Amino acid sequence: MAHILAPTTQWQMGITKNPANASPTTAKMWGSLLLKQNKKGSSKSSAKFRVFSMKSENSTVNRIEKLLNLDLTPYTDRVIAEYIWIGGSGIDLRSKSRTISKPVEHPSELPKWNYDGSSTGQAPGEDSEVILYPQAIFKDPFRGGNNILVICDAYTPAGEPIPTNKRHRAAEIFANKKVANEVPWYGIEQEYTLLQQNVKWPLGWPVGGYPGPQGPYYCGAGADKSFGRDISDAHYKACLYAGINISGTNGEVMPGQWEYQVGPSVGIEAGDHIWCSRYILERITEQAGVVLSLDPKPIEGDWNGAGCHTNYSTKSMREGGGFEVIKKAILNLSLRHKEHISAYGEGNERRLTGKHETASINTFSWGVANRGCSIRVGRETEKQGKGYLEDRRPASNMDPYIVTSLLAETTILWEPTLEAEALAAQKLALNV
């Protein structure tokens, strides 16, 4: 995983900080994404966002554009908070806005809120109220100013986490003293596919047809190789503005598919940052008129799937002698392979076939620099005798709260029997 060196110190804080001269996403970031552009004077416009219609010169559209780009800061202390939560499918994102009386620095300063859980598949109609608890704050790259995005988790009115609230259990695991002392770092590689809106076929592909075979597209440049770069770049900048710990991005092996990396992040922060980055990506593709897909195998056949490889280390792994700790962690992961696979995303069996840089879903394996294994260890880690491991099994639609906390639980808290450990070590050729 490129660019990941050490976690930000912001993981200890309730809100990320940005330079004073930072500005929200500008029109130039979106210009080439949108289908209709003003024909006159577009290069001189100072608007942050542009509203387009069949009559782009229409004065009504221009007035809406001005209202969208109003800077409220000189006129009021009040800010807009966009409350974001995970919907009933466990992968869909929902949000709604409310006015807060003044800027805030920490989620504890924000009020709880409620929503109609019967409309998101999370509560029955006769008892539909679900309560949102603010958990993490990011700057809003769409509205700018002091406006914020708020990652929330969901509870019943009695204070019990609802079934789709996976953050609550993850927070408990990361609060465990043994886990906290190991300061777990995560670097998550989120792959995604961009689809044409009306036909649900990858961006850049001929409708109903196929491009040339894989090979020239990975990290490629050119109109016949790279499809959706403006979306990737706009997302990159919007995440940096928001305070998300995004560390890089690249075009992927299948055309129309991209990846970005978030991390290193510590503990529960990893899940918060991935979910917020996904929300921002949904909003950007919404504005661009493109569909975002996290399907782990969007196109059948000789095409790569989409994963969410998770790089992981503990304090003990990063210190001298850490390679032995990594091997012990791999042993534990092998013994809980089925538990991890069942929690690593829907439809993953279509991706983990043993082909296209994956291991078989039915067999656990590990190797140094081997991208066809369940767990990959880098050459530098082997050479230095310390470092991190990469779990290549999670699907692109995985829940980062589940994956990160399960890795910590299996490698730090869970202890196998001596007999099972010995058998697994022999099978995997691990001298632990």
Side-chain angles (χ1 to χ4, degrees), residues 326-377:
I326 290 172
K327 290 195 289 185
K328 175 62 168 62
I330 292 171
L331 189 150
N332 280 21
L333 289 168
S334 74
L335 292 170
R336 300 190 80 191
H337 179 61
K338 289 183 178 180
E339 290 89 338
H340 281 253
I341 287 295
S342 67
Y344 274 14
E346 294 294 325
N348 212 11
E349 72 282 351
R350 293 183 284 116
R351 169 179 161 263
L352 295 180
T353 61
K355 301 177 181 179
H356 304 111
E357 302 181 52
T358 70
S360 168
I361 195 170
N362 299 312
T363 306
F364 181 90
S365 58
W366 81 283
V368 175
N370 187 343
R371 295 180 183 276
C373 286
S374 308
I375 304 293
R376 182 183 71 90
V377 174

Side-chain angles (χ1 to χ4, degrees), residues 23 61 64 98 133 426:
S23 61
V61 172
I64 292 174
R98 71 178 297 167
Y133 288 31
Q426 184 178 17

Side-chain angles (χ1 to χ4, degrees), residues 410-421:
T410 296
T411 62
I412 300 173
L413 300 178
W414 184 74
E415 288 293 340
T417 64
L418 292 176
E419 182 181 8
E421 187 177 73

Side-chain angles (χ1 to χ4, degrees), residues 192-193 195 200-202 254 257 293-300 304-306 350 396:
Y192 61 93
T193 308
L195 305 178
K200 302 296 177 65
W201 200 240
M254 190 184 87
Q257 191 178 88
S293 172
L294 296 182
D295 190 304
K297 186 71 174 179
I299 303 295
E300 296 298 326
N304 275 34
R350 293 183 284 116
S396 52

Side-chain angles (χ1 to χ4, degrees), residues 273-293:
H273 282 233
I274 283 290
W275 276 116
C276 192
S277 71
R278 285 176 175 178
Y279 175 80
I280 291 173
L281 186 55
E282 287 277 16
R283 288 282 302 275
I284 289 173
T285 52
E286 171 191 320
Q287 292 190 10
V290 174
V291 175
L292 169 66
S293 172

Side-chain angles (χ1 to χ4, degrees), residues 147-178:
N147 302 302
I148 54 176
L149 304 177
V150 185
I151 294 295
C152 305
D153 56 357
Y155 297 79
T156 67
E160 295 295 322
I162 65 172
T164 52
N165 179 356
K166 306 305 181 183
R167 190 187 191 280
H168 179 80
R169 174 57 182 157
E172 288 181 336
I173 291 173
F174 288 121
N176 182 288
K177 186 176 181 180
K178 192 173 181 181

